[in-house]
Every structure is written in C-alpha cells, then in structure tokens.
Short mmCIF file of all heavy atoms in Angstrom, two decimals:
data_model
loop_
_atom_site.label_atom_id
_atom_site.label_comp_id
_atom_site.label_asym_id
_atom_site.label_seq_id
_atom_site.Cartn_x
_atom_site.Cartn_y
_atom_site.Cartn_z
N GLN A 195 7.90 -12.08 -5.41
CA GLN A 195 7.18 -11.88 -4.07
C GLN A 195 7.14 -13.21 -3.39
O GLN A 195 6.24 -13.36 -2.50
CB GLN A 195 5.81 -11.32 -4.40
CG GLN A 195 5.89 -9.89 -5.01
CD GLN A 195 4.55 -9.27 -5.31
OE1 GLN A 195 3.84 -9.74 -6.24
NE2 GLN A 195 4.13 -8.30 -4.48
N GLY A 196 8.02 -14.11 -3.69
CA GLY A 196 8.08 -15.38 -2.93
C GLY A 196 7.05 -16.37 -3.40
O GLY A 196 6.21 -16.12 -4.34
N PRO A 197 6.98 -17.56 -2.78
CA PRO A 197 6.02 -18.59 -3.19
C PRO A 197 4.57 -18.22 -2.77
O PRO A 197 4.36 -17.40 -1.91
CB PRO A 197 6.55 -19.83 -2.33
CG PRO A 197 7.19 -19.20 -1.16
CD PRO A 197 7.85 -17.96 -1.61
N THR A 198 3.65 -18.82 -3.50
CA THR A 198 2.23 -18.58 -3.23
C THR A 198 1.84 -19.50 -2.12
O THR A 198 1.33 -20.62 -2.33
CB THR A 198 1.38 -18.80 -4.50
OG1 THR A 198 1.97 -18.08 -5.60
CG2 THR A 198 0.01 -18.43 -4.34
N ILE A 199 2.06 -19.06 -0.91
CA ILE A 199 1.72 -19.88 0.29
C ILE A 199 1.18 -18.97 1.37
O ILE A 199 1.22 -17.76 1.22
CB ILE A 199 3.00 -20.62 0.83
CG1 ILE A 199 4.10 -19.62 1.14
CG2 ILE A 199 3.45 -21.66 -0.18
CD1 ILE A 199 5.27 -20.30 1.81
N ALA A 200 0.70 -19.61 2.47
CA ALA A 200 0.24 -18.91 3.65
C ALA A 200 -0.87 -17.93 3.47
O ALA A 200 -1.01 -16.94 4.28
CB ALA A 200 1.49 -18.21 4.30
N SER A 201 -1.71 -18.16 2.54
CA SER A 201 -2.88 -17.28 2.28
C SER A 201 -2.56 -15.84 2.22
O SER A 201 -3.32 -14.92 2.66
CB SER A 201 -3.89 -17.46 3.50
OG SER A 201 -4.31 -18.84 3.51
N ALA A 202 -1.35 -15.53 1.66
CA ALA A 202 -0.81 -14.18 1.76
C ALA A 202 -1.02 -13.31 0.52
O ALA A 202 -0.52 -12.22 0.48
CB ALA A 202 0.67 -14.26 2.07
N THR A 203 -1.71 -13.79 -0.52
CA THR A 203 -1.77 -13.07 -1.77
C THR A 203 -2.53 -11.71 -1.66
O THR A 203 -1.95 -10.65 -1.87
CB THR A 203 -2.38 -13.90 -2.90
OG1 THR A 203 -1.59 -15.08 -3.06
CG2 THR A 203 -2.41 -13.10 -4.19
N ILE A 204 -3.76 -11.80 -1.25
CA ILE A 204 -4.57 -10.61 -1.07
C ILE A 204 -4.13 -9.77 0.14
O ILE A 204 -4.04 -8.55 0.08
CB ILE A 204 -6.08 -10.90 -0.97
CG1 ILE A 204 -6.51 -11.70 -2.24
CG2 ILE A 204 -6.91 -9.67 -0.78
CD1 ILE A 204 -6.42 -10.89 -3.50
N GLN A 205 -3.78 -10.45 1.15
CA GLN A 205 -3.40 -9.81 2.42
C GLN A 205 -2.15 -9.01 2.35
O GLN A 205 -1.94 -8.00 2.93
CB GLN A 205 -3.32 -10.89 3.56
CG GLN A 205 -3.16 -10.29 4.96
CD GLN A 205 -3.15 -11.32 6.02
OE1 GLN A 205 -3.05 -12.57 5.70
NE2 GLN A 205 -3.20 -10.97 7.24
N ILE A 206 -1.16 -9.64 1.61
CA ILE A 206 0.23 -9.08 1.62
C ILE A 206 0.73 -8.64 0.23
O ILE A 206 1.07 -7.52 -0.09
CB ILE A 206 1.21 -10.05 2.24
CG1 ILE A 206 0.79 -10.32 3.70
CG2 ILE A 206 2.64 -9.53 2.19
CD1 ILE A 206 1.51 -11.44 4.43
N SER A 207 0.82 -9.65 -0.70
CA SER A 207 1.43 -9.37 -1.99
C SER A 207 0.68 -8.39 -2.88
O SER A 207 1.12 -7.82 -3.78
CB SER A 207 1.73 -10.65 -2.72
OG SER A 207 0.63 -11.19 -3.35
N ALA A 208 -0.67 -8.24 -2.54
CA ALA A 208 -1.49 -7.34 -3.37
C ALA A 208 -1.32 -5.88 -2.95
O ALA A 208 -1.75 -4.92 -3.68
CB ALA A 208 -3.02 -7.71 -3.29
N VAL A 209 -0.64 -5.63 -1.85
CA VAL A 209 -0.54 -4.24 -1.32
C VAL A 209 0.21 -3.33 -2.27
O VAL A 209 -0.26 -2.28 -2.61
CB VAL A 209 0.07 -4.25 0.11
CG1 VAL A 209 0.38 -2.80 0.54
CG2 VAL A 209 -0.87 -4.96 1.08
N PRO A 210 1.42 -3.72 -2.77
CA PRO A 210 2.10 -2.83 -3.69
C PRO A 210 1.34 -2.67 -4.99
O PRO A 210 1.36 -1.65 -5.63
CB PRO A 210 3.44 -3.52 -3.90
CG PRO A 210 3.27 -4.90 -3.49
CD PRO A 210 2.28 -4.88 -2.38
N LEU A 211 0.57 -3.70 -5.38
CA LEU A 211 -0.19 -3.60 -6.66
C LEU A 211 -1.33 -2.59 -6.49
O LEU A 211 -1.52 -1.74 -7.36
CB LEU A 211 -0.84 -4.94 -7.00
CG LEU A 211 -1.50 -5.16 -8.27
CD1 LEU A 211 -0.52 -5.03 -9.43
CD2 LEU A 211 -2.21 -6.50 -8.27
N ARG A 212 -1.98 -2.56 -5.34
CA ARG A 212 -3.04 -1.65 -5.06
C ARG A 212 -2.44 -0.18 -5.01
O ARG A 212 -3.00 0.74 -5.61
CB ARG A 212 -3.69 -1.98 -3.75
CG ARG A 212 -4.88 -0.98 -3.40
CD ARG A 212 -5.38 -1.38 -2.00
NE ARG A 212 -6.56 -0.52 -1.72
CZ ARG A 212 -7.02 -0.37 -0.46
NH1 ARG A 212 -6.50 -1.03 0.53
NH2 ARG A 212 -8.06 0.48 -0.23
N LYS A 213 -1.33 -0.03 -4.39
CA LYS A 213 -0.66 1.29 -4.36
C LYS A 213 -0.31 1.76 -5.72
O LYS A 213 -0.41 2.96 -6.08
CB LYS A 213 0.57 1.27 -3.39
CG LYS A 213 0.25 1.13 -1.95
CD LYS A 213 1.51 1.14 -1.14
CE LYS A 213 1.25 1.08 0.37
NZ LYS A 213 2.43 1.11 1.16
N ALA A 214 0.23 0.80 -6.55
CA ALA A 214 0.66 1.21 -7.85
C ALA A 214 -0.52 1.70 -8.71
O ALA A 214 -0.38 2.70 -9.45
CB ALA A 214 1.35 0.01 -8.56
N ALA A 215 -1.70 1.04 -8.60
CA ALA A 215 -2.83 1.40 -9.37
C ALA A 215 -3.35 2.79 -8.88
O ALA A 215 -3.69 3.63 -9.68
CB ALA A 215 -3.93 0.36 -9.25
N ALA A 216 -3.31 2.98 -7.61
CA ALA A 216 -3.75 4.31 -7.04
C ALA A 216 -2.79 5.46 -7.49
O ALA A 216 -3.21 6.57 -7.80
CB ALA A 216 -3.90 4.20 -5.52
N GLN A 217 -1.55 5.09 -7.47
CA GLN A 217 -0.53 6.13 -7.89
C GLN A 217 -0.68 6.46 -9.31
O GLN A 217 -0.58 7.61 -9.76
CB GLN A 217 0.87 5.53 -7.57
CG GLN A 217 1.99 6.57 -7.71
CD GLN A 217 3.36 6.02 -7.28
OE1 GLN A 217 3.36 4.95 -6.60
NE2 GLN A 217 4.43 6.70 -7.60
N ALA A 218 -0.99 5.42 -10.13
CA ALA A 218 -1.19 5.69 -11.58
C ALA A 218 -2.46 6.56 -11.82
O ALA A 218 -2.40 7.54 -12.55
CB ALA A 218 -1.35 4.38 -12.31
N ARG A 219 -3.49 6.35 -11.08
CA ARG A 219 -4.68 7.16 -11.19
C ARG A 219 -4.31 8.62 -10.81
O ARG A 219 -4.78 9.61 -11.52
CB ARG A 219 -5.78 6.64 -10.34
CG ARG A 219 -7.10 7.48 -10.37
CD ARG A 219 -8.05 7.11 -9.26
NE ARG A 219 -9.35 7.80 -9.45
CZ ARG A 219 -9.55 9.01 -8.96
NH1 ARG A 219 -8.60 9.67 -8.40
NH2 ARG A 219 -10.73 9.56 -9.10
N ALA A 220 -3.60 8.80 -9.73
CA ALA A 220 -3.26 10.19 -9.27
C ALA A 220 -2.49 10.88 -10.33
O ALA A 220 -2.61 12.17 -10.55
CB ALA A 220 -2.47 10.05 -7.95
N TRP A 221 -1.56 10.18 -11.07
CA TRP A 221 -0.74 10.77 -12.05
C TRP A 221 -1.70 11.24 -13.19
O TRP A 221 -1.53 12.41 -13.73
CB TRP A 221 0.25 9.83 -12.57
CG TRP A 221 1.17 10.31 -13.70
CD1 TRP A 221 2.33 11.08 -13.44
CD2 TRP A 221 1.00 10.25 -15.05
NE1 TRP A 221 2.90 11.40 -14.69
CE2 TRP A 221 2.10 10.93 -15.71
CE3 TRP A 221 0.03 9.72 -15.91
CZ2 TRP A 221 2.25 11.08 -17.02
CZ3 TRP A 221 0.17 9.80 -17.30
CH2 TRP A 221 1.27 10.47 -17.81
N PHE A 222 -2.60 10.38 -13.63
CA PHE A 222 -3.47 10.71 -14.77
C PHE A 222 -4.37 12.03 -14.37
O PHE A 222 -4.55 12.90 -15.15
CB PHE A 222 -4.42 9.61 -15.09
CG PHE A 222 -3.77 8.57 -15.98
CD1 PHE A 222 -3.57 7.32 -15.55
CD2 PHE A 222 -3.37 8.94 -17.27
CE1 PHE A 222 -2.96 6.38 -16.37
CE2 PHE A 222 -2.86 7.99 -18.14
CZ PHE A 222 -2.60 6.67 -17.67
N VAL A 223 -4.85 11.99 -13.13
CA VAL A 223 -5.69 13.12 -12.68
C VAL A 223 -4.87 14.46 -12.70
O VAL A 223 -5.35 15.49 -13.05
CB VAL A 223 -6.26 12.81 -11.30
CG1 VAL A 223 -6.89 14.03 -10.73
CG2 VAL A 223 -7.30 11.70 -11.44
N ALA A 224 -3.59 14.30 -12.20
CA ALA A 224 -2.69 15.45 -12.20
C ALA A 224 -2.50 16.05 -13.60
O ALA A 224 -2.53 17.22 -13.91
CB ALA A 224 -1.39 15.19 -11.48
N GLN A 225 -2.20 15.14 -14.58
CA GLN A 225 -2.03 15.51 -15.97
C GLN A 225 -3.34 16.15 -16.54
O GLN A 225 -3.22 17.23 -17.21
CB GLN A 225 -1.67 14.31 -16.82
CG GLN A 225 -0.37 13.58 -16.34
CD GLN A 225 0.79 14.50 -16.30
OE1 GLN A 225 1.14 15.17 -17.29
NE2 GLN A 225 1.51 14.53 -15.16
N ALA A 226 -4.43 15.56 -16.19
CA ALA A 226 -5.70 16.12 -16.72
C ALA A 226 -6.01 17.51 -16.18
O ALA A 226 -6.55 18.36 -16.82
CB ALA A 226 -6.87 15.18 -16.38
N ALA A 227 -5.63 17.71 -14.85
CA ALA A 227 -5.90 18.99 -14.19
C ALA A 227 -5.05 20.06 -14.92
O ALA A 227 -5.57 21.22 -15.12
CB ALA A 227 -5.51 18.89 -12.71
N ASN A 228 -3.88 19.74 -15.33
CA ASN A 228 -3.11 20.74 -16.08
C ASN A 228 -3.71 21.00 -17.40
O ASN A 228 -3.78 22.20 -17.89
CB ASN A 228 -1.64 20.18 -16.24
CG ASN A 228 -0.83 20.20 -14.97
OD1 ASN A 228 -1.15 21.03 -14.07
ND2 ASN A 228 0.11 19.31 -14.87
N VAL A 229 -4.13 19.96 -18.10
CA VAL A 229 -4.76 20.19 -19.45
C VAL A 229 -6.00 20.94 -19.37
O VAL A 229 -6.31 21.91 -20.15
CB VAL A 229 -4.91 18.84 -20.16
CG1 VAL A 229 -5.69 19.03 -21.49
CG2 VAL A 229 -3.62 18.18 -20.35
N LEU A 230 -6.88 20.61 -18.39
CA LEU A 230 -8.18 21.26 -18.32
C LEU A 230 -8.14 22.57 -17.46
O LEU A 230 -9.19 23.17 -17.40
CB LEU A 230 -9.19 20.26 -17.70
CG LEU A 230 -9.36 18.94 -18.41
CD1 LEU A 230 -10.21 17.98 -17.66
CD2 LEU A 230 -9.91 19.19 -19.84
N ALA A 231 -7.03 22.83 -16.87
CA ALA A 231 -6.89 24.06 -16.05
C ALA A 231 -7.87 24.14 -14.97
O ALA A 231 -8.57 25.07 -14.75
CB ALA A 231 -6.94 25.24 -16.95
N VAL A 232 -8.03 23.00 -14.18
CA VAL A 232 -8.92 22.95 -13.04
C VAL A 232 -8.16 22.33 -11.90
O VAL A 232 -7.14 21.76 -11.96
CB VAL A 232 -10.18 22.13 -13.34
CG1 VAL A 232 -10.99 22.82 -14.47
CG2 VAL A 232 -9.78 20.66 -13.68
N ASP A 233 -8.84 22.42 -10.70
CA ASP A 233 -8.22 21.82 -9.51
C ASP A 233 -8.37 20.26 -9.64
O ASP A 233 -9.53 19.79 -9.95
CB ASP A 233 -8.96 22.28 -8.25
CG ASP A 233 -8.40 21.82 -6.98
OD1 ASP A 233 -7.54 20.91 -6.98
OD2 ASP A 233 -8.88 22.29 -5.86
N ALA A 234 -7.35 19.53 -9.38
CA ALA A 234 -7.46 18.06 -9.51
C ALA A 234 -8.42 17.51 -8.54
O ALA A 234 -9.08 16.46 -8.91
CB ALA A 234 -6.05 17.48 -9.16
N ALA A 235 -8.64 18.13 -7.45
CA ALA A 235 -9.61 17.53 -6.47
C ALA A 235 -11.08 17.60 -6.95
O ALA A 235 -11.93 16.90 -6.46
CB ALA A 235 -9.58 18.32 -5.10
N THR A 236 -11.35 18.39 -8.03
CA THR A 236 -12.70 18.50 -8.55
C THR A 236 -13.01 17.51 -9.67
O THR A 236 -14.14 17.39 -10.09
CB THR A 236 -12.95 19.92 -9.08
OG1 THR A 236 -12.12 20.16 -10.23
CG2 THR A 236 -12.61 20.93 -8.07
N LEU A 237 -11.98 16.77 -9.98
CA LEU A 237 -12.15 15.83 -11.18
C LEU A 237 -12.68 14.49 -10.70
O LEU A 237 -12.35 14.02 -9.58
CB LEU A 237 -10.83 15.59 -11.89
CG LEU A 237 -10.20 16.90 -12.59
CD1 LEU A 237 -8.86 16.61 -13.11
CD2 LEU A 237 -11.19 17.39 -13.70
N ARG A 238 -13.46 13.86 -11.56
CA ARG A 238 -13.90 12.51 -11.31
C ARG A 238 -13.57 11.61 -12.51
O ARG A 238 -13.44 12.04 -13.63
CB ARG A 238 -15.43 12.42 -10.95
CG ARG A 238 -16.34 12.95 -12.14
CD ARG A 238 -17.74 12.97 -11.70
NE ARG A 238 -18.59 13.51 -12.80
CZ ARG A 238 -19.18 12.75 -13.63
NH1 ARG A 238 -19.02 11.39 -13.64
NH2 ARG A 238 -19.97 13.30 -14.59
N VAL A 239 -13.46 10.29 -12.23
CA VAL A 239 -12.90 9.39 -13.28
C VAL A 239 -13.91 8.26 -13.42
O VAL A 239 -14.40 7.66 -12.41
CB VAL A 239 -11.62 8.81 -12.94
CG1 VAL A 239 -11.05 7.98 -14.06
CG2 VAL A 239 -10.54 10.00 -12.60
N ASP A 240 -14.26 7.85 -14.58
CA ASP A 240 -15.08 6.69 -14.91
C ASP A 240 -14.54 5.94 -16.11
O ASP A 240 -14.52 6.49 -17.26
CB ASP A 240 -16.50 7.15 -15.16
CG ASP A 240 -17.47 6.03 -15.42
OD1 ASP A 240 -17.04 4.88 -15.09
OD2 ASP A 240 -18.58 6.20 -15.96
#
C-alpha cells in the first residue's frame, strides 16, 4: 500500500481493511443464519 506518508493510513489505506472486516462478519452471520434457520437480519453479534 505504498510508503507510510501523507497522513494517509486511517484516511486511505485502512479502507480495504475496514471493508474486509465487515465482509467477514457478514459471512459469519450468513453461515449462522443457515445453521440456526433464522433470518440473518435478526441476528446480533457480541
């Protein structure tokens, strides 16, 4: 992701990291919805 310059870490290089974490959570919730036989939108995670 290039050199650590220009105050760009949180503003720019963290964007794909944030998306990746959100995508991982969505995958887990979808798997859980199948196992628990419920609507994924009704699930909460802690």
Side-chain angles (χ1 to χ4, degrees):
Q195 295 177 290
T198 308
I199 58 175
S201 299
T203 302
I204 300 299
Q205 187 179 10
I206 299 171
S207 79
V209 172
L211 188 65
R212 183 184 181 195
K213 289 182 177 180
Q217 191 173 347
R219 180 191 185 277
W221 182 87
F222 279 115
V223 170
Q225 301 304 307
N228 288 334
V229 174
L230 301 175
V232 297
D233 184 352
T236 66
L237 296 174
R238 60 187 180 89
V239 185
D240 182 16

